[in-house]
């Protein structure tokens, strides 16, 4: 079975662990969000690609969900001693090596997709990890600070501001001019099922869908498209998805997120058992809905979720 997954960071990566466990024989292609990418200290940092790569490759800081395990921060403190920041973004020494290799290869002319493949040769994530695009796409968030409208990089909004100010708009800068990375459209066209993990629907899955051609390819693939709600009991399971959902006028409910994707894209939607009453509203919108436990508390729970997603895909396939 060929499965395509559109993934953000922590939620997507953890879901993929469960998917690999429930479908060990499957050929899994992950289309990763690169809108969170940021240039720091002259280096290109790709948080979501790295989170997937480290999580599946056994190098992630398990507790934090991002960055390397057994990390140290000597370089960061040396940079700070020179007064060179930003200090609010925690790049560790081990992680720095990844960004140095990536930046060196990009500088030598390799596209991000080729660089990602080279990095994965070390980590062996057991999936084919593709960036959504080789082109630069950067998510910016418009905020009002001291009565003035400013656009800040997504990482500044998420990490420095902790989404504490209202997001007025979320803009994937460069998306309109971008094209899907090699292999992205082909993997969708050849897929047996497409899954949206419980990733952020605006700044993760939404950014991937903003690359011209990807949404259309999924809608036209003619295969089941099943998503899992990142909202449980009217609040995000992790992160601050509610802040960016508000910016695009979507309520933080499992049903509202399903309607946001829409029946033109989604065939099936899993909500948590806590939101079982939302199922009727989702089905009214033309999307098959099931209520199952959606908390990724451990590998067993995550594997069961992935299994439910594949079962729903078979159900809608008919
Ligand atoms: N998240 C934080 O909350 N604080 C950090 O200092 C931070 C650093 C960081 C470095 C590398 C990396 O790959 C991820 C990092 N993240 C950090 C996570 C990241 O900001 C976001 O969670 C994702 O971009 C959202 O998917």
């Amino acid at each position: 079975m060929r499965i395509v997954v559109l993934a953000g960071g922590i939620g997507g990566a953890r879901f993929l662990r469960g998917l690999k466990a429930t479908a060990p024989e499957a050929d899994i292609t992950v289309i990763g969000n690169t809108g969170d990418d940021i240039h720091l200290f002259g280096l290109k940092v790709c948080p979501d690609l790295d989170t997937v790569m480290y999580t599946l490759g056994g190098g992630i800081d398990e507790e934090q969900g991002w960055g390397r395990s057994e990390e140290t921060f000597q370089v960061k403190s040396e940079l700070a001693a020179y007064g060179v920041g930003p200090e609010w973004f925690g790049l560790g020494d081990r992680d720095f090596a990844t960004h140095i290799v990536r930046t060196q290869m990009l500088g030598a002319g390799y596209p991000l997709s080729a660089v990602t493949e080279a990095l994965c040769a070390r980590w062996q994530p057991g999936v084919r990890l593709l960036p959504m695009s080789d082109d630069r796409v950067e998510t910016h968030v418009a905020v009002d600070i001291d009565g003035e409208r400013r656009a800040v990089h997504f990482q500044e909004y998420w990490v420095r501001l902790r989404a504490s100010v209202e997001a007025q708009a979320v803009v994937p800068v460069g998306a309109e001019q971008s094209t899907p990375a090699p292999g992205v459209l082909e993997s969708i066209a050849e897929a047996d099922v497409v899954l949206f993990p419980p990733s952020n629907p605006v700044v993760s899955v939404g950014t991937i869908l903003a690359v011209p051609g990807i949404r259309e390819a999924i809608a036209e693939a003619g295969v089941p498209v099943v998503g899992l709600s990142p909202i449980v009991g009217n609040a995000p399971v992790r992160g601050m998805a509610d802040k960016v959902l508000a910016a695009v006028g979507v309520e933080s409910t499992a049903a509202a997120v399903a309607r946001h994707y829409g029946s033109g894209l989604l065939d099936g939607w899993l909500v948590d058992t806590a939101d079982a009453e939302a199922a009727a509203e989702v089905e009214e919108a033309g999307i098959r809905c099931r209520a199952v436990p959606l908390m990724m508390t451990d590998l067993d729970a995550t594997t069961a979720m992935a299994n439910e997603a594949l079962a729903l895909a078979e159900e809608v396939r008919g």
Side-chain angles (χ1 to χ4, degrees), residues 8-10 33 36 45-48 50-51 54 64 66-67 87-92 95 99 154-155 158-159 162 203-204:
I10 305 172
N33 170 41
D36 293 20
V45 181
C46 300
D48 286 1
D50 289 348
T51 298
Y54 294 154
Q64 211 167 228
W66 51 266
E87 286 196 52
W88 51 263
F89 201 69
L91 284 187
D95 201 22
H99 314 314
F154 169 76
Q155 295 295 350
W158 208 244
V159 176
R162 290 266 155 234
V203 294
S204 297

Side-chain angles (χ1 to χ4, degrees), residues 184-274:
V184 166
L185 297 182
E186 295 81 350
S187 65
I188 296 169
E190 291 164 6
D192 298 306
V193 53
V194 177
L195 299 177
F196 295 176
S199 288
N200 191 308
V202 181
V203 294
S204 297
V205 179
T207 309
I208 301 170
L209 293 172
V211 176
I214 296 186
R215 174 187 289 273
E216 297 77 3
I218 295 172
E220 288 161 14
V223 296
V225 180
V226 170
L228 297 93
S229 177
I231 305 288
V232 170
N234 303 339
V237 175
R238 183 178 313 96
M240 302 156 280
D242 48 334
K243 303 295 164 88
V244 285
L245 277 167
V248 297
V250 176
E251 258 183 273
S252 281
T253 68
V257 174
R259 280 193 274 105
H260 172 64
Y261 285 131
S263 61
L265 198 59
L266 271 187
D267 302 301
W269 186 241
L270 292 178
V271 299
D272 188 78
T273 42

Side-chain angles (χ1 to χ4, degrees), residues 25-111:
E25 304 301 323
D27 172 345
I28 302 171
T29 299
V30 179
I31 301 174
N33 170 41
T34 56
D36 293 20
D37 293 5
I38 186 165
H39 287 82
L40 292 171
F41 314 111
L43 301 174
K44 169 117 169 146
V45 181
C46 300
D48 286 1
L49 293 180
D50 289 348
T51 298
V52 170
M53 182 174 78
Y54 294 154
T55 301
L56 300 183
I60 199 77
D61 178 322
E62 291 289 346
E63 209 160 297
Q64 211 167 228
W66 51 266
R68 287 292 316 279
S69 53
E70 293 166 37
E71 189 57 287
T72 52
F73 291 87
Q74 303 285 356
V75 175
K76 184 172 186 276
S77 63
E78 287 295 317
L79 287 164
Y82 285 112
V84 175
E87 286 196 52
W88 51 263
F89 201 69
L91 284 187
D93 301 328
R94 289 167 181 255
D95 201 22
F96 258 115
T98 303
H99 314 314
I100 291 169
V101 174
R102 175 185 291 123
T103 308
Q104 208 170 24
M105 286 189 71
L106 289 169
Y110 291 97

